[in-house]
Amino acid sequence: MRKRIMNHLFGPVPSRRLGLSLGVDLLPFKTCTLDCVYCQLGPTTCLTLSRERRVSTPEVLAEIRSRAEAVEEGREEEFDYLTLAGSGEPLLHLGLDEIIRGAKEVIDKPVALLTNGTLFFREEVRREVLEADLIVPSLDAATAATFQRVNRPHPDLSIEKVIEGLVHLRKEFSGEIWLEVMLVSGMNDSEAPLIAEAAEEIGADRVQLNTVARPPAEPVQPLSPDEMVGMLEVFSSAEVIADWTREGSKGTRALIFDLLSRRPCTLDDLAAITSLHRNEILKYLEVLEAERKISRLHHGGGLYFQAPDR
Ligand code: SF4
């Protein structure tokens, strides 16, 4: 099954929290304010705090409009959320407000923003996201040392500023805020009580605890299920993010599995062969890995995915 190539839209992909999520990618690959050790997309190639008009708003809105028409006519899959996410930090795109407002004029689905939350200390950034329905920021540290170790931020960012920005966002934004905490064994788990205090101060509607699903390119380890459950004692009224709630498009998953049954492929190989967005492929790879149908293989400096019994 081949999907029509869209420049900025990907999916819908199955999301643990959002059901079927139609993604909007507003940035060149790996443009981010952080370079997290657990990033599934690999190292940040452009570490910046500079907000620019990185995509054309009319172009993005035209794609959303055309997808909305296709869904209405039954030519494309329904989705639950339109999600601003993608290959880097969406807050680095200047003009998010125009995209959120424009999208809400053509679709009747909620608009979610997945963000690392690092730029909310700037008032103008907070103003641009006020019309979103849901903001899902992350917070993995409460001290400078852990922020450096886990998130490896741009040198002009401080964890105090990040937390302060999230506190301001909560006061000004009337939609839901779900704060995600990514726990990495031996890196930020001992700081959990301090992160929990910061989460309390922020006052998000939900606190969602996550851990690295599979070791990405870097040698980082997840917390065990028992350790994750133990974290519920540390974070009051938090939840451990459950597994996939939906399976997504079986056709796409079957296509990716079929390719990996023939030969091991890198993420880039799969993107080139299928014309799918890397983020979309990653979601399916994670589902296939969780089902133990495929595994990872490090070879010649590259990361490959393979079906073990091919
Ligand atoms: S904030 Fe997200 S995109 Fe940026 S490095 Fe961290 S995990 Fe990757």
Side-chain angles (χ1 to χ4, degrees):
M1 173 183 143
R2 293 285 172 106
K3 289 208 169 182
R4 194 148 51 97
I5 300 172
M6 299 289 249
N7 283 334
H8 305 293
L9 300 191
F10 58 95
V13 292
S15 153
R16 278 173 284 187
R17 291 167 286 187
L18 305 177
L20 280 179
S21 156
L22 179 62
V24 187
D25 191 357
L26 302 173
L27 297 182
F29 191 62
K30 267 328 282 283
T31 301
C32 195
T33 58
L34 304 177
D35 182 18
C36 303
V37 284
Y38 57 77
C39 188
Q40 295 266 336
L41 299 170
T44 295
T45 43
C46 177
L47 184 67
T48 181
L49 298 188
S50 163
R51 301 188 71 229
E52 290 165 27
R53 288 194 170 268
R54 296 177 185 275
V55 291
S56 144
T57 301
E59 215 176 276
V60 173
L61 292 178
E63 282 187 28
I64 296 172
R65 191 171 305 111
S66 127
R67 177 63 71 102
E69 283 166 11
V71 170
E72 209 174 300
E73 290 162 13
R75 289 183 282 115
E76 287 280 2
E77 236 176 325
E78 274 282 359
F79 56 94
D80 300 310
Y81 273 90
L82 184 80
T83 307
L84 308 180
S87 327
E89 173 45 51
L91 296 180
L92 286 170
H93 171 67
L94 183 68
L96 270 181
D97 50 346
E98 294 162 21
I99 298 210
I100 295 170
R101 198 172 310 125
K104 289 177 81 95
E105 279 168 15
V106 291
I107 56 160
D108 59 356
K109 303 290 180 191
V111 174
L113 168 66
L114 262 53
T115 167
N116 63 28
T118 50
L119 294 178
F120 286 132
F121 66 90
R122 297 183 185 161
E123 196 189 339
E124 72 277 12
V125 175
R126 298 196 298 274
R127 261 203 313 268
E128 281 195 22
V129 302
L130 292 180
E131 290 183 47
D133 297 286
L134 167 67
I135 299 181
V136 185
S138 45
L139 182 73
D140 309 329
T143 63
T146 303
F147 193 37
Q148 287 300 328
R149 194 163 50 238
V150 176
N151 302 116
R152 299 183 300 204
H154 185 280
D156 294 339
L157 276 178
S158 75
I159 190 65
E160 290 80 14
K161 269 197 214 173
V162 172
I163 294 170
E164 185 191 307
L166 289 166
V167 170
H168 282 300
L169 178 75
R170 175 63 298 175
K171 287 183 185 143
E172 295 163 17
F173 175 65
S174 59
E176 292 258 315
I177 298 180
W178 299 352
L179 185 72
E180 177 174 358
V181 180
M182 181 67 84
L183 293 160
V184 186
S185 182
M187 296 194 101
N188 65 351
D189 46 347
S190 62
E191 191 158 304
L194 289 179
I195 303 173
E197 267 177 40
E200 187 96 354
E201 188 189 346
I202 292 162
D205 297 280
R206 294 188 191 181
V207 177
Q208 301 185 314
L209 307 181
N210 203 350
T211 191
V212 280
R214 288 286 178 282
E218 310 242 359
V220 293
Q221 292 299 324
L223 269 66
S224 68
D226 276 1
E227 288 168 325
M228 288 300 284
V229 170
M231 284 292 167
L232 293 174
E233 305 279 314
V234 180
F235 290 82
S236 60
S237 60
E239 55 193 325
V240 172
I241 299 174
D243 214 340
W244 309 105
T245 52
R246 303 203 189 174
E247 289 208 322
S249 163
K250 288 210 169 82
T252 308
R253 198 176 63 160
L255 167 70
I256 291 171
F257 181 68
D258 186 47
L259 288 166
L260 296 179
S261 302
R262 290 162 205 268
R263 66 177 172 94
C265 296
T266 65
L267 186 56
D268 283 345
D269 291 339
L270 290 169
I273 298 167
T274 62
S275 302
L276 293 170
H277 193 285
R278 288 186 190 87
N279 290 59
E280 182 169 1
I281 295 169
L282 264 176
K283 297 289 181 193
Y284 289 109
L285 290 173
E286 286 177 4
V287 172
L288 287 165
E289 281 188 298
E291 292 173 350
R292 299 186 191 282
K293 291 194 169 135
I294 63 164
S295 61
R296 294 184 179 215
L297 167 73
H298 291 272
H299 179 69
L303 172 62
Y304 290 79
F305 297 87
Q306 63 176 1
D309 55 355
R310 81 205 145 77

